[in-house]
Amino acid sequence: GNSVTQMEGPVTLSEEAFLTINCTYTATGYPSLFWYVQYPGEGLQLLLKATKADDKGSNKGFEATYRKETTSFHLEKGSVQVSDSAVYFCALSGTYSGNTPLVFGKGTRLSVIA
Amino acid sequence: DSGVTQTPKHLITATGQRVTLRCSPRSGDLSVYWYQQSLDQGLQFLIQYYNGEERAKGNILERFSAQQFPDLHSELNLSSLELGDSALYFCASSLMPGQDPQETQYFGPGTRLLVL
């Protein structure tokens, strides 16, 4: 079945450091890929998405490119801020059957220190 | 604010009890999804409703059930609760029935359930 694998956390970075959170997936068909973010005590917010191969999703300085050849959707940000501290989830949707509940990775906790 | 509301925010109950979690989707959305977030299992899809009808089922226990009402709000019923049911339960909504993998799901703030 469909699955998502993310790098284990926690990840601790200094402010203005470069961020990469790795995400790879296994899926049948042509899934869409998503990054969701969960700030402390809050629900999940969509950060960005990409719906086909070579698409780049971007938002708030974060970027991820849908790479079909490596089945990856790594999240990157050039310069993190303390306010980026949160848990980041990679997810996919889409199967041949057409039903699209999201399949999530286990999440990566990011802590940014000043 | 996603526009999806969930009540209550927190729930503490005892083993063997039954609880009901409520979700109101974003205005105009017809599909509601329920997810469970636990420390050991991560985020897992439970069940989806579209316009009042069950659309897809995931890892939902037989002790759990859900429904979507004519006004499109949804309730998740958890019965014969066990310690392991303690988790954060999220509701998400989307416009369509979920046949488009490009469609975004919008999440509510969650209900944190603690079973003692």
Side-chain angles (χ1 to χ4, degrees):
Chain A
N2 296 347
S3 66
V4 174
T5 303
Q6 298 183 225
M7 61 187 285
E8 297 278 333
V11 174
T12 303
L13 295 173
S14 297
E15 216 167 14
E16 299 183 7
F18 184 85
L19 169 71
T20 301
I21 301 178
N22 290 337
C23 171
T24 57
Y25 68 90
T26 302
T28 55
Y30 304 97
S32 291
L33 300 172
F34 304 81
W35 278 101
Y36 280 84
V37 58
Q38 185 177 27
Y39 296 102
E42 297 186 15
L44 293 165
Q45 298 177 27
L46 177 68
L47 183 58
L48 52 85
K49 73 177 188 181
T51 58
K52 61 182 189 297
D54 300 324
D55 262 5
K56 179 187 278 188
S58 61
N59 185 26
K60 300 182 183 179
F62 290 89
E63 291 182 342
T65 301
Y66 188 164
R67 301 277 188 213
K68 200 167 191 306
E69 63 278 10
T70 54
T71 61
S72 65
F73 192 54
H74 304 321
L75 182 68
E76 295 182 336
K77 186 175 186 184
S79 176
V80 294
Q81 306 301 313
V82 172
S83 57
D84 294 327
S85 299
V87 181
Y88 292 81
F89 292 91
C90 184
L92 67 82
S93 74
T95 67
Y96 282 123
S97 71
N99 285 318
T100 57
L102 289 165
V103 174
F104 286 91
K106 289 195 177 297
T108 302
R109 183 176 299 277
L110 170 67
S111 295
V112 180
I113 52 178
Chain B
D1 185 352
S2 67
V4 179
T5 60
Q6 289 187 248
T7 55
K9 280 192 88 162
H10 302 277
L11 203 44
I12 302 174
T13 188
T15 54
Q17 295 297 305
R18 173 189 167 94
V19 296
T20 298
L21 313 184
R22 183 188 167 104
C23 167
S24 293
R26 289 189 322 156
S27 177
D29 282 358
L30 301 176
S31 239
V32 169
Y33 304 76
W34 286 98
Y35 292 86
Q36 179 194 57
Q37 185 181 30
S38 62
L39 280 175
D40 52 345
Q41 298 290 329
L43 259 165
Q44 287 197 96
F45 165 69
L46 295 178
I47 197 163
Q48 178 204 358
Y49 279 82
Y50 171 72
N51 208 18
E53 293 194 5
E54 184 183 303
R55 191 80 182 188
K57 222 167 184 173
N59 297 322
I60 188 165
L61 299 171
E62 283 192 16
R63 300 184 285 109
F64 296 0
S65 65
Q67 53 184 335
Q68 186 179 27
F69 294 86
D71 67 352
L72 300 176
H73 91 271
S74 177
E75 292 181 356
L76 179 67
N77 300 297
L78 315 176
S79 61
S80 304
L81 284 167
E82 301 175 0
L83 296 178
D85 298 327
S86 296
L88 194 49
Y89 291 85
F90 286 111
C91 167
S93 74
S94 67
L95 176 61
M96 298 304 287
Q99 290 180 317
D100 179 1
Q102 301 182 20
E103 194 178 29
T104 297
Q105 293 177 28
Y106 295 90
F107 282 74
T111 293
R112 187 171 294 279
L113 172 67
L114 180 59
V115 182
L116 300 175

